[in-house]
């Protein structure tokens, strides 16, 4: 497919009250994504860890977008019990969802930290939480209009490995190494989900996006030391804004001509900045054996079964 050069959020079609869930929607890329969707008429459910910050974000958005339709829902993606409670709430109040944007992320906490279920916290929040959320909401998505799951990865997935023998980092934790692992897991999941949805004949499309190098609080809220200095200060002048970084996600979530399995990133040098284009995932992201192993492990660790056949 060919994307019009310089595609911008103003080219999002009328979304006509289609229902979107955006995780991590109160700041950074999530807030930019929510703002652009609401401006185009979407009903946006802000899935946030801190309800107070979510309500503050909605107050800001309501001033900017009179008539915008928003909901604030609490979910801690690092806690699988919270993910299930969030899903239960949505099932109680909605009969369909149209698009799920798996955006929320945690980056490079300096010390190894475990989730309530005992998983390394970046793998838990960035991958397992979104894996479980997608599986739990799949029935609502299948009832939606032009339903999609957009999973936000990172260009860093290309330099990553999956530490299947040390997923919790007990023996070899490094902040960026385990962040990169979680972003590779996002890419593997998005591709595997596409393969399995296609095999099942599902109407839901799975797509991937990455924002390039974007100035958000992701680089400063968790990292410390050299990682924080590098990404939060030294390289900051090279970063694009959150509104720009959200464009690949927005294209994947709204453009009428996207195809399941596509990966969108910035079109500038090194995919660091720019308008959306189709990009290539790392070969290991589409490796069948890696995908099978991660999928089966993720179902085991989350106790969420999608009921989708493995791709041929």
């Amino acid at each position: 497919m060919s994307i019009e050069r310089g595609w911008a959020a103003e080219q999002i079609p009328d979304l006509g009250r289609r229902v979107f869930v955006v995780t991590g929607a109160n700041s950074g890329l999530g807030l930019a994504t929510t703002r652009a969707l609401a401006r185009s008429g979407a009903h946006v459910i802000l899935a946030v860890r801190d309800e107070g910050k979510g309500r503050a974000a909605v107050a800001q958005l309501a001033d900017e977008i009179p008539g915008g339709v928003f909901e604030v829902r609490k979910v801690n993606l690092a806690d699988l019990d919270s993910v299930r409670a969030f899903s239960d709430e949505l099932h109680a109040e909605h009969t369909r969802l149209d698009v799920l944007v798996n955006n929320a992320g945690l980056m490079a906490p300096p010390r190894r930290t475990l989730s309530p279920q005992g998983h390394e916290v970046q793998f838990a929040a960035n991958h397992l939480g979104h894996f479980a959320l997608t599986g739990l909401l799949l029935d609502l998505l299948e009832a939606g209009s032009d339903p999609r799951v957009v999973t936000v990865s990172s260009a860093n997935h290309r330099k990553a490995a999956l530490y299947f023998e040390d997923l919790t980092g007990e023996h070899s934790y490094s902040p960026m190494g385990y962040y990169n692992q979680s972003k590779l897991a996002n890419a593997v999941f998005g591709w595997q989900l596409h393969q399995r949805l296609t095999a099942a004949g599902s109407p839901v499309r799975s797509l991937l996006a990455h924002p390039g190098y974007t100035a958000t609080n992701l680089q400063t809220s968790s990292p410390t030391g050299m990682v924080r200095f590098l990404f939060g200060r030294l390289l900051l002048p090279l970063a694009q804004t959150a509104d720009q970084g959200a464009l690949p996600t927005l294209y994947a979530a709204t453009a009428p001509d996207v195809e399941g399995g596509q990966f969108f990133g910035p079109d500038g040098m090194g995919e660091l900045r720019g308008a959306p284009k189709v990009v290539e995932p790392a070969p290991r992201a589409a490796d069948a054996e890696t995908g099978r192993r991660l999928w089966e492990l993720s179902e085991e660790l989350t106790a969420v079964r999608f009921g989708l056949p493995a791709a041929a």
Side-chain angles (χ1 to χ4, degrees), residues 24-271:
N26 62 278
S27 65
L29 291 166
L31 180 59
T33 300
T34 297
R35 179 184 291 110
L37 294 172
R39 280 179 173 160
S40 297
H43 173 159
V44 187
I45 300 171
L46 291 82
V48 299
R49 186 171 57 179
D50 186 319
E51 284 184 281
K53 290 181 179 179
R55 287 191 293 269
V58 165
Q60 173 188 335
L61 291 168
D63 287 339
E64 299 174 20
I65 310 168
V69 181
F70 306 100
E71 296 178 45
V72 176
R73 301 283 179 181
K74 182 176 181 177
V75 61
N76 177 2
L77 285 157
D79 183 348
L80 294 169
D81 292 338
S82 177
V83 173
R84 288 185 178 277
F86 175 87
S87 170
D88 289 345
E89 283 188 12
L90 261 59
H91 278 88
E93 299 187 22
H94 292 270
T95 58
R96 67 173 176 85
L97 299 173
D98 299 306
V99 181
L100 169 62
V101 180
N102 288 326
N103 162 80
L106 178 65
M107 180 180 181
R111 290 177 294 278
R112 172 178 175 264
T113 305
L114 300 182
S115 73
Q117 287 77 34
H119 310 302
E120 192 276 320
V121 72
Q122 294 177 95
F123 190 75
N126 299 354
H127 169 60
L128 290 177
H130 283 126
F131 179 94
L133 183 64
T134 303
L136 292 169
L137 297 182
L138 191 58
D139 60 331
L140 294 181
L141 286 162
E142 288 183 330
S145 170
D146 186 17
R148 309 179 189 190
V149 177
V150 181
T151 301
V152 180
S153 182
S154 165
N156 277 28
H157 88 278
R158 297 192 178 100
K159 61 180 72 173
L162 291 172
Y163 307 123
F164 284 115
E165 307 309 319
D166 189 23
L167 277 178
T168 68
E170 180 180 2
H171 303 294
S172 61
Y173 178 76
S174 70
M176 284 304 298
Y178 275 73
Y179 171 74
N180 293 344
Q181 171 182 242
S182 73
K183 294 289 99 180
L184 175 57
N186 289 152
V188 173
F189 166 58
W191 177 251
Q192 271 292 306
L193 181 62
H194 160 63
Q195 295 284 305
R196 290 167 185 259
L197 290 169
T198 300
S202 171
V204 182
R205 282 181 279 182
S206 172
L207 302 113
L208 284 156
H210 83 79
Y213 183 35
T214 302
T216 71
N217 62 4
L218 183 68
Q219 292 94 356
T220 56
S221 60
S222 294
T224 61
M226 184 55 67
V227 174
R228 183 169 185 166
F229 175 75
L230 182 65
F231 291 104
R233 181 175 297 182
L234 185 63
L235 298 179
L236 199 58
L238 303 177
Q240 59 186 350
T241 67
D243 287 339
Q244 293 169 315
L247 291 177
T249 298
L250 289 165
Y251 192 91
T254 67
D257 58 347
V258 300
E259 299 172 7
Q262 287 183 313
F263 195 165
F264 299 93
D267 65 1
M269 185 174 64
E271 298 175 19

